[in-house]
Amino acid sequence: MNKGTDVMSLSRDEMETWMQQQSYPKYRGTQLFESLWRQRLAGYGQISAWPKELREIMSRTAPFYRLQAVTVQKAPDGTRKILARLSDGQQIETVVLPHHYGYSVCVSSQVGCNMGCKFCASGLLKRTRNLTAGEMLDQVRLANDLIASEEQGVSRVDLMGIGEPLDNYDNVVRFIKMAHDSHGFNLSHRKFTISTSGLIRDIYRLSQEKIPVTLAVSLHAPNDALRSQIMPVNRAYPITPLVEACQFYFAKTGRRVSFEYALLAGINDSVLMAQQLAKLLEGLSCHVNLIPWNPVPEHPFSPSPPKRVEEFQKIVQNRGISCTIRKELGQNIEAACGQLRRREDAAHHIEL
Ligand code: SAH
Ligand code: SF4
């Protein structure tokens, strides 16, 4: 392996093959995979099962970089938000959320996002690069390190942090397959949610992958006119074919699709919009998640009042569609993804 090979993004099979290519036994590959993801070791020097010579050779020839937590904020409800530094100095966010069943982790998939949704903090910073599978796995590792004293590890992974996961398709699929490995995090496919702004072609691709993850589609508007205004991606991938793709996803995977709908006062929260939404999703095996919009100072919206959110929910439910209001977690640590990183960037610019 050449210096610069991305060790943390190698699957266990690939690690085994690589060890064999260098005339080491195959099981050294599995030991490395387990050291990285089950034992969460910080470097080759800590792999006590290896002879000293091998540890030294590997440290020299195939170094790897662990994400560094720059800050960790903890909200009274137990939510932790990590600002993490990548090997090239760029920063991303990872959020660890407590639930009755344990913890989930909200993982970023890109540095920035190119989709430009008008209500989102992540989209304010354009994508500078995709995250590797190893960098996504290392976010789960960071989360596990953080909660190590309390729990066995996170039990759900949501690709809902910064970035559009389906715009980084190959690395995201690789990440899920590697996190599934029983020698690593051992998370079943059902424990993953991919949230997407609706890249239709990739939804079809994903439905063929034999990794039945939950698909969450960020809808946020029940008609093309409004959706194209607040989510420019809708101009390329409009609502009708998007809902068809979701139908196909359900047919192929048996996984009920979730629709995310952040309520913006006076924009998408009227009775008529609720009716349109219910009509759109009629007959589809799905679930609607109403999200109280988390204010982003740069955007001119305000969140719908709680009463309006409840009314909206009732209308959708009365049409026979499963609909819940997402609990707000970690409010006072700006848990809407992208916000912390943006503030740090702003502070940095001021310092300069
Ligand atoms: N890019 C993907 C995943 C990341 S965003 C996507 O858009 O689906 C995760 C979810 O948070 C999406 O449903 C997104 O629309 C929503 N979101 C973005 N900004 C928000 C905000 N300020 N308040 C509430 N939800 C927000
Ligand atoms: Fe990107 Fe999702 Fe934010 Fe839209 S909502 S800008 S797709 S991160």
PDB file of all heavy atoms in Angstrom, residues 110 112-124 160-165 195-197 218 220 231 233 337, ligand 2:
ATOM      1  N   GLN A 110     -20.955  15.387   3.728  1.00  0.00           N
ATOM      2  CA  GLN A 110     -20.135  16.247   2.876  1.00  0.00           C
ATOM      3  C   GLN A 110     -19.681  17.455   3.697  1.00  0.00           C
ATOM      4  O   GLN A 110     -20.276  17.767   4.735  1.00  0.00           O
ATOM      5  CB  GLN A 110     -20.961  16.773   1.688  1.00  0.00           C
ATOM      6  CG  GLN A 110     -21.497  15.693   0.771  1.00  0.00           C
ATOM      7  CD  GLN A 110     -22.312  16.265  -0.389  1.00  0.00           C
ATOM      8  OE1 GLN A 110     -23.167  17.120  -0.196  1.00  0.00           O
ATOM      9  NE2 GLN A 110     -22.041  15.777  -1.591  1.00  0.00           N
ATOM     10  N   GLY A 112     -20.126  21.022   3.623  1.00  0.00           N
ATOM     11  CA  GLY A 112     -21.023  21.944   2.916  1.00  0.00           C
ATOM     12  C   GLY A 112     -22.044  21.181   2.092  1.00  0.00           C
ATOM     13  O   GLY A 112     -22.112  19.944   2.151  1.00  0.00           O
ATOM     14  N   CYS A 113     -22.865  21.897   1.349  1.00  0.00           N
ATOM     15  CA  CYS A 113     -23.895  21.248   0.532  1.00  0.00           C
ATOM     16  C   CYS A 113     -24.236  22.148  -0.650  1.00  0.00           C
ATOM     17  O   CYS A 113     -24.353  23.359  -0.491  1.00  0.00           O
ATOM     18  CB  CYS A 113     -25.141  20.969   1.364  1.00  0.00           C
ATOM     19  SG  CYS A 113     -26.436  20.134   0.424  1.00  0.00           S
ATOM     20  N   ASN A 114     -24.406  21.522  -1.808  1.00  0.00           N
ATOM     21  CA  ASN A 114     -24.665  22.306  -3.024  1.00  0.00           C
ATOM     22  C   ASN A 114     -26.134  22.474  -3.361  1.00  0.00           C
ATOM     23  O   ASN A 114     -26.462  23.052  -4.387  1.00  0.00           O
ATOM     24  CB  ASN A 114     -23.977  21.638  -4.226  1.00  0.00           C
ATOM     25  CG  ASN A 114     -22.531  22.066  -4.329  1.00  0.00           C
ATOM     26  OD1 ASN A 114     -22.113  23.023  -3.660  1.00  0.00           O
ATOM     27  ND2 ASN A 114     -21.766  21.372  -5.143  1.00  0.00           N
ATOM     28  N   MET A 115     -27.026  21.955  -2.521  1.00  0.00           N
ATOM     29  CA  MET A 115     -28.434  21.927  -2.906  1.00  0.00           C
ATOM     30  C   MET A 115     -29.130  23.277  -2.691  1.00  0.00           C
ATOM     31  O   MET A 115     -30.173  23.535  -3.270  1.00  0.00           O
ATOM     32  CB  MET A 115     -29.171  20.823  -2.149  1.00  0.00           C
ATOM     33  CG  MET A 115     -28.616  19.438  -2.420  1.00  0.00           C
ATOM     34  SD  MET A 115     -28.689  19.017  -4.177  1.00  0.00           S
ATOM     35  CE  MET A 115     -27.192  18.077  -4.369  1.00  0.00           C
ATOM     36  N   GLY A 116     -28.566  24.087  -1.824  1.00  0.00           N
ATOM     37  CA  GLY A 116     -29.036  25.468  -1.695  1.00  0.00           C
ATOM     38  C   GLY A 116     -30.458  25.646  -1.187  1.00  0.00           C
ATOM     39  O   GLY A 116     -31.129  26.618  -1.573  1.00  0.00           O
ATOM     40  N   CYS A 117     -30.945  24.755  -0.327  1.00  0.00           N
ATOM     41  CA  CYS A 117     -32.297  24.925   0.222  1.00  0.00           C
ATOM     42  C   CYS A 117     -32.345  26.239   1.000  1.00  0.00           C
ATOM     43  O   CYS A 117     -31.410  26.570   1.737  1.00  0.00           O
ATOM     44  CB  CYS A 117     -32.665  23.745   1.116  1.00  0.00           C
ATOM     45  SG  CYS A 117     -32.546  22.176   0.240  1.00  0.00           S
ATOM     46  N   LYS A 118     -33.449  26.941   0.849  1.00  0.00           N
ATOM     47  CA  LYS A 118     -33.508  28.324   1.328  1.00  0.00           C
ATOM     48  C   LYS A 118     -33.648  28.461   2.843  1.00  0.00           C
ATOM     49  O   LYS A 118     -33.566  29.553   3.378  1.00  0.00           O
ATOM     50  CB  LYS A 118     -34.688  29.053   0.661  1.00  0.00           C
ATOM     51  CG  LYS A 118     -34.578  29.138  -0.856  1.00  0.00           C
ATOM     52  CD  LYS A 118     -33.547  30.181  -1.267  1.00  0.00           C
ATOM     53  CE  LYS A 118     -33.482  30.407  -2.766  1.00  0.00           C
ATOM     54  NZ  LYS A 118     -32.463  29.600  -3.445  1.00  0.00           N
ATOM     55  N   PHE A 119     -33.891  27.346   3.521  1.00  0.00           N
ATOM     56  CA  PHE A 119     -34.150  27.405   4.971  1.00  0.00           C
ATOM     57  C   PHE A 119     -33.030  26.767   5.784  1.00  0.00           C
ATOM     58  O   PHE A 119     -33.108  26.666   7.001  1.00  0.00           O
ATOM     59  CB  PHE A 119     -35.457  26.641   5.287  1.00  0.00           C
ATOM     60  CG  PHE A 119     -35.500  25.300   4.586  1.00  0.00           C
ATOM     61  CD1 PHE A 119     -34.865  24.207   5.139  1.00  0.00           C
ATOM     62  CD2 PHE A 119     -36.142  25.164   3.357  1.00  0.00           C
ATOM     63  CE1 PHE A 119     -34.850  22.997   4.486  1.00  0.00           C
ATOM     64  CE2 PHE A 119     -36.138  23.942   2.700  1.00  0.00           C
ATOM     65  CZ  PHE A 119     -35.490  22.864   3.259  1.00  0.00           C
ATOM     66  N   CYS A 120     -31.961  26.328   5.104  1.00  0.00           N
ATOM     67  CA  CYS A 120     -30.986  25.452   5.762  1.00  0.00           C
ATOM     68  C   CYS A 120     -29.642  26.143   5.963  1.00  0.00           C
ATOM     69  O   CYS A 120     -29.169  26.867   5.087  1.00  0.00           O
ATOM     70  CB  CYS A 120     -30.805  24.199   4.912  1.00  0.00           C
ATOM     71  SG  CYS A 120     -29.470  23.126   5.473  1.00  0.00           S
ATOM     72  N   ALA A 121     -29.016  25.876   7.112  1.00  0.00           N
ATOM     73  CA  ALA A 121     -27.718  26.487   7.411  1.00  0.00           C
ATOM     74  C   ALA A 121     -26.586  25.807   6.642  1.00  0.00           C
ATOM     75  O   ALA A 121     -25.629  26.453   6.223  1.00  0.00           O
ATOM     76  CB  ALA A 121     -27.438  26.416   8.912  1.00  0.00           C
ATOM     77  N   SER A 122     -26.721  24.480   6.437  1.00  0.00           N
ATOM     78  CA  SER A 122     -25.635  23.749   5.760  1.00  0.00           C
ATOM     79  C   SER A 122     -25.423  24.249   4.346  1.00  0.00           C
ATOM     80  O   SER A 122     -24.303  24.318   3.849  1.00  0.00           O
ATOM     81  CB  SER A 122     -25.939  22.255   5.712  1.00  0.00           C
ATOM     82  OG  SER A 122     -26.046  21.738   7.002  1.00  0.00           O
ATOM     83  N   GLY A 123     -26.546  24.586   3.685  1.00  0.00           N
ATOM     84  CA  GLY A 123     -26.466  25.004   2.288  1.00  0.00           C
ATOM     85  C   GLY A 123     -25.830  26.379   2.103  1.00  0.00           C
ATOM     86  O   GLY A 123     -25.505  26.763   0.982  1.00  0.00           O
ATOM     87  N   LEU A 124     -25.642  27.106   3.202  1.00  0.00           N
ATOM     88  CA  LEU A 124     -25.033  28.426   3.086  1.00  0.00           C
ATOM     89  C   LEU A 124     -23.548  28.314   2.733  1.00  0.00           C
ATOM     90  O   LEU A 124     -22.951  29.243   2.201  1.00  0.00           O
ATOM     91  CB  LEU A 124     -25.186  29.207   4.403  1.00  0.00           C
ATOM     92  CG  LEU A 124     -26.618  29.668   4.714  1.00  0.00           C
ATOM     93  CD1 LEU A 124     -26.730  30.112   6.157  1.00  0.00           C
ATOM     94  CD2 LEU A 124     -27.033  30.791   3.776  1.00  0.00           C
ATOM     95  N   MET A 160     -28.113  12.641   8.356  1.00  0.00           N
ATOM     96  CA  MET A 160     -28.931  13.857   8.373  1.00  0.00           C
ATOM     97  C   MET A 160     -28.110  15.063   8.794  1.00  0.00           C
ATOM     98  O   MET A 160     -28.658  16.102   9.153  1.00  0.00           O
ATOM     99  CB  MET A 160     -30.081  13.719   9.374  1.00  0.00           C
ATOM    100  CG  MET A 160     -31.177  12.816   8.927  1.00  0.00           C
ATOM    101  SD  MET A 160     -32.591  13.017  10.001  1.00  0.00           S
ATOM    102  CE  MET A 160     -33.725  11.854   9.269  1.00  0.00           C
ATOM    103  N   GLY A 161     -26.808  14.922   8.795  1.00  0.00           N
ATOM    104  CA  GLY A 161     -25.953  16.043   9.159  1.00  0.00           C
ATOM    105  C   GLY A 161     -25.715  16.933   7.943  1.00  0.00           C
ATOM    106  O   GLY A 161     -26.542  17.013   7.043  1.00  0.00           O
ATOM    107  N   ILE A 162     -24.548  17.566   7.903  1.00  0.00           N
ATOM    108  CA  ILE A 162     -24.237  18.450   6.778  1.00  0.00           C
ATOM    109  C   ILE A 162     -24.068  17.615   5.510  1.00  0.00           C
ATOM    110  O   ILE A 162     -23.416  16.574   5.525  1.00  0.00           O
ATOM    111  CB  ILE A 162     -22.934  19.224   7.062  1.00  0.00           C
ATOM    112  CG1 ILE A 162     -23.090  20.083   8.326  1.00  0.00           C
ATOM    113  CG2 ILE A 162     -22.540  20.085   5.861  1.00  0.00           C
ATOM    114  CD1 ILE A 162     -21.795  20.706   8.808  1.00  0.00           C
ATOM    115  N   GLY A 163     -24.656  18.107   4.410  1.00  0.00           N
ATOM    116  CA  GLY A 163     -24.441  17.461   3.115  1.00  0.00           C
ATOM    117  C   GLY A 163     -25.651  16.715   2.604  1.00  0.00           C
ATOM    118  O   GLY A 163     -26.603  16.454   3.330  1.00  0.00           O
ATOM    119  N   GLU A 164     -25.592  16.379   1.323  1.00  0.00           N
ATOM    120  CA  GLU A 164     -26.640  15.590   0.671  1.00  0.00           C
ATOM    121  C   GLU A 164     -26.051  14.186   0.452  1.00  0.00           C
ATOM    122  O   GLU A 164     -25.203  13.995  -0.421  1.00  0.00           O
ATOM    123  CB  GLU A 164     -27.037  16.265  -0.659  1.00  0.00           C
ATOM    124  CG  GLU A 164     -27.853  15.410  -1.603  1.00  0.00           C
ATOM    125  CD  GLU A 164     -29.064  14.754  -0.965  1.00  0.00           C
ATOM    126  OE1 GLU A 164     -29.908  15.446  -0.387  1.00  0.00           O
ATOM    127  OE2 GLU A 164     -29.170  13.510  -1.047  1.00  0.00           O
ATOM    128  N   PRO A 165     -26.492  13.208   1.261  1.00  0.00           N
ATOM    129  CA  PRO A 165     -25.850  11.884   1.213  1.00  0.00           C
ATOM    130  C   PRO A 165     -25.861  11.248  -0.181  1.00  0.00           C
ATOM    131  O   PRO A 165     -24.885  10.612  -0.571  1.00  0.00           O
ATOM    132  CB  PRO A 165     -26.675  11.037   2.188  1.00  0.00           C
ATOM    133  CG  PRO A 165     -27.514  11.970   2.961  1.00  0.00           C
ATOM    134  CD  PRO A 165     -27.551  13.288   2.282  1.00  0.00           C
ATOM    135  N   SER A 195     -31.320  10.597   4.721  1.00  0.00           N
ATOM    136  CA  SER A 195     -32.214  11.714   4.437  1.00  0.00           C
ATOM    137  C   SER A 195     -31.736  12.392   3.159  1.00  0.00           C
ATOM    138  O   SER A 195     -30.562  12.729   3.028  1.00  0.00           O
ATOM    139  CB  SER A 195     -32.189  12.692   5.612  1.00  0.00           C
ATOM    140  OG  SER A 195     -33.037  13.785   5.348  1.00  0.00           O
ATOM    141  N   THR A 196     -32.660  12.598   2.220  1.00  0.00           N
ATOM    142  CA  THR A 196     -32.269  13.186   0.940  1.00  0.00           C
ATOM    143  C   THR A 196     -33.220  14.291   0.516  1.00  0.00           C
ATOM    144  O   THR A 196     -34.414  14.249   0.823  1.00  0.00           O
ATOM    145  CB  THR A 196     -32.204  12.114  -0.176  1.00  0.00           C
ATOM    146  OG1 THR A 196     -31.867  12.767  -1.412  1.00  0.00           O
ATOM    147  CG2 THR A 196     -33.522  11.373  -0.332  1.00  0.00           C
ATOM    148  N   SER A 197     -32.653  15.248  -0.207  1.00  0.00           N
ATOM    149  CA  SER A 197     -33.485  16.312  -0.760  1.00  0.00           C
ATOM    150  C   SER A 197     -34.249  15.802  -1.978  1.00  0.00           C
ATOM    151  O   SER A 197     -35.043  16.539  -2.550  1.00  0.00           O
ATOM    152  CB  SER A 197     -32.604  17.498  -1.135  1.00  0.00           C
ATOM    153  OG  SER A 197     -31.584  17.079  -2.021  1.00  0.00           O
ATOM    154  N   SER A 218     -36.788  14.845   2.175  1.00  0.00           N
ATOM    155  CA  SER A 218     -37.095  16.199   2.629  1.00  0.00           C
ATOM    156  C   SER A 218     -38.046  16.820   1.619  1.00  0.00           C
ATOM    157  O   SER A 218     -37.627  17.220   0.538  1.00  0.00           O
ATOM    158  CB  SER A 218     -35.802  17.017   2.718  1.00  0.00           C
ATOM    159  OG  SER A 218     -34.952  16.430   3.664  1.00  0.00           O
ATOM    160  N   HIS A 220     -40.991  19.250   2.413  1.00  0.00           N
ATOM    161  CA  HIS A 220     -41.123  20.658   2.831  1.00  0.00           C
ATOM    162  C   HIS A 220     -42.130  21.497   2.061  1.00  0.00           C
ATOM    163  O   HIS A 220     -42.346  22.666   2.413  1.00  0.00           O
ATOM    164  CB  HIS A 220     -39.763  21.372   2.847  1.00  0.00           C
ATOM    165  CG  HIS A 220     -38.727  20.683   3.683  1.00  0.00           C
ATOM    166  ND1 HIS A 220     -38.960  20.269   4.969  1.00  0.00           N
ATOM    167  CD2 HIS A 220     -37.448  20.316   3.413  1.00  0.00           C
ATOM    168  CE1 HIS A 220     -37.877  19.684   5.458  1.00  0.00           C
ATOM    169  NE2 HIS A 220     -36.953  19.694   4.532  1.00  0.00           N
ATOM    170  N   MET A 231     -36.645  24.846  -2.430  1.00  0.00           N
ATOM    171  CA  MET A 231     -35.654  23.792  -2.674  1.00  0.00           C
ATOM    172  C   MET A 231     -35.349  23.740  -4.177  1.00  0.00           C
ATOM    173  O   MET A 231     -36.037  23.045  -4.935  1.00  0.00           O
ATOM    174  CB  MET A 231     -36.184  22.432  -2.201  1.00  0.00           C
ATOM    175  CG  MET A 231     -36.459  22.351  -0.719  1.00  0.00           C
ATOM    176  SD  MET A 231     -36.988  20.702  -0.205  1.00  0.00           S
ATOM    177  CE  MET A 231     -35.467  19.759  -0.352  1.00  0.00           C
ATOM    178  N   VAL A 233     -33.514  22.103  -5.931  1.00  0.00           N
ATOM    179  CA  VAL A 233     -33.353  20.751  -6.482  1.00  0.00           C
ATOM    180  C   VAL A 233     -34.652  20.257  -7.131  1.00  0.00           C
ATOM    181  O   VAL A 233     -34.650  19.415  -8.021  1.00  0.00           O
ATOM    182  CB  VAL A 233     -32.873  19.762  -5.380  1.00  0.00           C
ATOM    183  CG1 VAL A 233     -33.927  19.571  -4.308  1.00  0.00           C
ATOM    184  CG2 VAL A 233     -32.458  18.421  -5.951  1.00  0.00           C
ATOM    185  N   CYS A 337     -28.459  21.191  11.894  1.00  0.00           N
ATOM    186  CA  CYS A 337     -27.132  20.912  11.362  1.00  0.00           C
ATOM    187  C   CYS A 337     -26.593  22.071  10.551  1.00  0.00           C
ATOM    188  O   CYS A 337     -27.307  22.733   9.836  1.00  0.00           O
ATOM    189  CB  CYS A 337     -27.166  19.642  10.532  1.00  0.00           C
ATOM    190  SG  CYS A 337     -27.286  18.225  11.605  1.00  0.00           S
TER     191      CYS A 337
HETATM  192 FE1  SF4 B   2     -28.360  20.454   1.662  1.00  0.00          FE
HETATM  193 FE2  SF4 B   2     -30.205  19.088   3.017  1.00  0.00          FE
HETATM  194 FE3  SF4 B   2     -29.548  21.592   3.721  1.00  0.00          FE
HETATM  195 FE4  SF4 B   2     -30.903  21.169   1.485  1.00  0.00          FE
HETATM  196  S1  SF4 B   2     -31.603  20.736   3.572  1.00  0.00           S
HETATM  197  S2  SF4 B   2     -29.132  22.547   1.724  1.00  0.00           S
HETATM  198  S3  SF4 B   2     -30.030  19.260   0.787  1.00  0.00           S
HETATM  199  S4  SF4 B   2     -28.210  19.803   3.797  1.00  0.00           S
END
